[in-house]
Amino acid sequence: MKLTRVLYSASPSGGAIPHAKLRYVPTSGTYPKGFTAAGIFVGVKPGNTSKPDLALVTSDRPCSAAAVFTKNKFQAAPVTFSRKVLQSRANTGLRSVIINSGCANAVTGAGGLEDAANMARITDQRVGADDSTLVMSTGVIGQRLPIQKILDHIPVAYHQTGDSHKHWMNCAKAICTTDTFPKLMSRTFELPSSPGVQYSIAGLTKGAGMIAPNMATLLTILATDAPVAPGIMTPLLRHAVDRSFNAITIDGDSSTNDTVALLANGAAGGQEVASEQSPDYEAFKSLLTDFSADLAKYIVRDGEGATKFVTIRVVDCATEEAAREVARSIARSPLVKTALYGKDANWGRILCAAGYALISPPGQPINDVPEIVPERTNVSFIPTDGSAELKLLVNGEPEQVDEERASEILKHEDLEILVRLGTGDKNTVHWTCDFSHDYVTINGDYRT
């Protein structure tokens, strides 16, 4: 597959972009044919007087679609509503996604479901297609939407949609909450069966806190003009999510609203990706996974109060599932995260988090598979400057650590923690960030 990478991220809707994030701000993008986008101001959250907070992505023709949703038991009304839409339409005939920020419409009872349905209904009326809209919301849990205000503005959003970079950027701005910059990317690619046909994919996502994947802890819209059959959309998306949005952690909390949606309208033409056995399927799956991973990394880089982007690589494990659990355990550990913020090479915390990752819950049988053997375990820091790894633990034995060099490594924004378990040949990667004082400040006054 011929691939041209164009990575973009949008600027924040209000206030200055932190200097360290300026390099993620785009000046242009290449967006999928047939899709338009908009982001407008409504004033969903009290106190918001200027930030765009209603977003719309719509296609000029029916799309194949799929979505992956949160596994939190308290699922927000938009999650429940959108799942039913996809089931009733068998992943076909979708046209739009409408999103508000500032209020999650979660734990809002029957009234919340009615609000989500009304947001879709008004959008459908503008698009001219019934039961063709997915709904997403993000913000404070347990509060009803100012629904009439939103419904009155949906026609405004529809009439302001366009296909320019500015339109997509406004859309990305409108879904943000505590994000310091909206996250927007686009990429072009080709597929084996349609040489010479250039396809595009665009993705926008939000998330900076309440990130601990049990699916994907955030809101994401992925749109492509490639022709993809409805029946294979779900396995494509699940594969990509497991290796991207399901491989990030900021704070250990799984949201009530998590949704990742993929829409494909086929507007660029070419042969349809119709079978899981086709070369096109494998090529698009690889493209979608890599694209999703790059987009997911932006969420970690924008973690609330974060100062570090940390890659946790667990290798040589007996099973892939065990490797993932070990990586997630390290990524969730407040002690690991605070040590990284303090530039403290306290590798004992890393080892501790790995050691309790696979403990069986009470009442469940003990796992006798030797995924972790202390005498085979190795832990290292991998510097981002290309210099040699700093070994901390070798085959269960502590190394004489050069604390000065460790401190120098930890001064960099990017860091890799490598854990070799020595029990097999399965590997995984997970991305996380540190915990700073600012994380507490941000979340201490989130509703005010």
Side-chain angles (χ1 to χ4, degrees), residues 45-48 140 143 178 441-448:
K45 187 175 182 179
N48 176 24
V140 177
Q143 297 180 2
T178 59
T441 300
I442 292 167
N443 285 283
D445 60 5
Y446 179 71
R447 294 203 303 165
T448 60

Side-chain angles (χ1 to χ4, degrees), residues 149-203:
K149 187 185 293 188
I150 292 174
L151 298 182
D152 290 345
H153 281 81
I154 289 175
V156 178
Y158 178 77
H159 287 296
Q160 290 190 20
T161 57
D163 60 4
S164 72
H165 173 69
K166 181 177 180 180
H167 288 97
W168 282 91
M169 181 181 284
N170 287 340
C171 189
K173 292 176 182 178
I175 67 175
C176 292
T177 50
T178 59
D179 308 64
T180 66
F181 66 97
K183 295 133 185 90
L184 174 65
M185 289 173 49
S186 65
R187 189 170 295 175
T188 62
F189 62 98
E190 293 184 4
L191 294 172
S193 69
S194 302
V197 177
Q198 178 176 286
Y199 297 108
S200 297
I201 185 170

Side-chain angles (χ1 to χ4, degrees), residues 421-432:
L421 294 177
T423 56
D425 60 0
K426 304 301 181 183
N427 308 319
T428 196
V429 64
H430 201 95
W431 299 283
T432 191

Side-chain angles (χ1 to χ4, degrees), residues 58-111:
T58 188
S59 170
D60 64 3
R61 66 201 70 193
C63 302
S64 300
V68 184
F69 300 101
T70 180
K71 294 182 180 179
N72 192 305
K73 296 298 182 183
F74 291 95
Q75 298 191 348
V79 170
T80 301
F81 175 83
S82 297
R83 180 186 287 111
K84 289 181 178 178
V85 170
L86 286 167
Q87 290 173 345
S88 66
R89 296 302 300 260
N91 287 12
T92 190
L94 275 293
R95 292 283 296 273
S96 308
V97 183
I98 186 76
I99 317 102
N100 76 271
S101 62
C103 178
N105 191 12
V107 198
T108 47

Side-chain angles (χ1 to χ4, degrees), residues 123-416:
T123 307
D124 286 342
Q125 289 176 359
R126 293 294 154 178
V127 173
D130 294 336
D131 301 322
S132 68
T133 299
L134 302 180
V135 181
M136 300 182 188
S137 297
T138 182
V140 177
I141 296 170
Q143 297 180 2
R144 288 288 297 277
L145 292 168
I147 190 60
Q148 194 56 52
K149 187 185 293 188
I150 292 174
L151 298 182
D152 290 345
H153 281 81
I154 289 175
V156 178
Y158 178 77
H159 287 296
Q160 290 190 20
T161 57
D163 60 4
S164 72
H165 173 69
K166 181 177 180 180
H167 288 97
W168 282 91
M169 181 181 284
N170 287 340
C171 189
K173 292 176 182 178
I175 67 175
C176 292
T177 50
T178 59
D179 308 64
T180 66
F181 66 97
K183 295 133 185 90
L184 174 65
M185 289 173 49
S186 65
R187 189 170 295 175
T188 62
F189 62 98
E190 293 184 4
L191 294 172
S193 69
S194 302
V197 177
Q198 178 176 286
Y199 297 108
S200 297
I201 185 170
L204 51 95
T205 189
K206 64 83 50 185
M210 201 174 278
I211 307 291
N214 195 1
M215 172 307 284
T217 314
L218 36 84
L219 300 183
T220 301
I221 305 166
L222 304 165
T224 181
D225 52 18
V228 185
I232 62 174
M233 291 285 281
T234 296
L236 279 168
L237 184 59
R238 287 193 178 278
H239 181 276
V241 164
D242 279 346
R243 292 155 180 81
S244 57
F245 301 110
N246 220 5
I248 59 175
T249 298
I250 289 177
D251 50 21
D253 285 307
S254 291
S255 171
T256 55
N257 290 60
D258 310 339
T259 305
V260 176
L262 170 65
L263 284 76
N265 67 5
Q271 184 173 319
E272 183 180 57
V273 184
S275 168
E276 293 186 39
Q277 283 70 50
S278 71
D280 284 351
Y281 179 89
E282 290 301 322
F284 185 70
K285 182 173 72 172
S286 176
L287 174 279
L288 181 64
T289 301
D290 289 346
F291 182 82
S292 298
D294 286 339
L295 193 57
K297 291 174 188 176
Y298 277 161
I299 293 173
V300 177
R301 290 195 179 278
D302 200 25
E304 291 172 343
T307 68
K308 296 189 183 304
F309 177 85
V310 185
T311 299
I312 300 172
R313 198 175 302 276
V314 178
V315 303
D316 302 338
C317 188
T319 66
E320 186 173 347
E321 180 182 2
R324 288 182 180 179
E325 286 303 313
V326 170
R328 288 172 180 166
S329 183
I330 296 168
R332 285 193 302 261
S333 169
L335 292 177
V336 171
K337 295 160 83 67
T338 50
L340 293 173
Y341 172 66
K343 303 177 182 63
D344 180 7
N346 193 343
W347 58 266
R349 294 181 176 183
I350 299 170
L351 202 65
C352 178
Y356 62 64
L358 302 175
I359 296 175
S360 299
Q364 292 190 12
I366 296 175
N367 184 3
D368 291 327
V369 178
E371 286 111 344
I372 295 180
V373 177
E375 294 78 13
R376 302 180 192 172
T377 302
N378 297 259
V379 177
S380 297
F381 287 156
I382 307 297
T384 57
D385 60 5
S387 60
E389 70 179 280
L390 177 62
K391 296 181 179 181
L392 307 170
L393 184 78
V394 176
N395 294 327
E397 295 289 337
E399 291 288 284
Q400 189 68 36
V401 177
D402 182 342
E403 295 289 348
E404 185 175 345
R405 181 165 183 248
S407 180
E408 285 297 320
I409 292 172
L410 290 170
K411 287 179 181 178
H412 294 286
E413 179 183 346
D414 286 28
L415 169 71
E416 179 177 325

